[in-house]
Amino acid sequence: MSLCEIQRGQLTGRIYSISKGFYHVSSDSTKTTRRQKQTFIQWFLSIFMEIFLPTGYPNTVSNDYLSYQIWDTIQAFASSITNALAFSAILEG
């Protein structure tokens, strides 16, 4: 199994291969490919950061964005739990 990402016609992002492990792969305009072996934790954290943080972080946002995003994610999770419990109570009633 492998996972890759292509942007603007160039191979970039992460590749996971069962036989070869985790890699971060990027291509520059000279068509050379750099591969950097990653541990599972590094690979997971890079995917997690890509999901929750904007492209170009930290250069494209203010200094307090990370703390804002952490609290916003906690609030969204707590809100969804509250909604699920309220909906369950309404159905029981």
Side-chain angles (χ1 to χ4, degrees):
M1 176 182 132
S2 64
L3 170 72
C4 66
E5 179 180 297
I6 297 177
Q7 290 181 346
R8 298 183 188 107
Q10 294 182 352
L11 179 65
T12 182
R14 284 173 248 24
I15 291 182
Y16 170 67
S17 171
I18 290 178
S19 60
K20 296 181 181 175
F22 299 93
Y23 288 92
H24 177 78
V25 176
S26 63
S27 297
D28 58 15
S29 60
T30 62
K31 304 294 183 203
T32 58
T33 302
R34 286 184 296 129
R35 287 186 176 205
Q36 178 183 14
K37 189 152 173 102
Q38 295 180 323
T39 65
F40 175 75
I41 293 172
Q42 290 171 329
W43 181 78
F44 182 78
L45 284 176
S46 64
I47 294 240
F48 186 79
M49 288 178 66
E50 190 169 307
I51 290 171
F52 289 102
L53 298 175
T55 303
Y57 176 83
N59 301 325
T60 57
V61 295
S62 64
N63 294 337
D64 62 346
Y65 183 79
L66 183 61
S67 61
Y68 160 76
Q69 187 61 49
I70 289 170
W71 287 111
D72 185 54
T73 303
I74 291 170
Q75 184 274 330
F77 179 73
S79 177
S80 64
I81 294 295
T82 303
N83 290 335
L85 291 173
F87 187 70
S88 175
I90 288 171
L91 288 178
E92 281 184 28

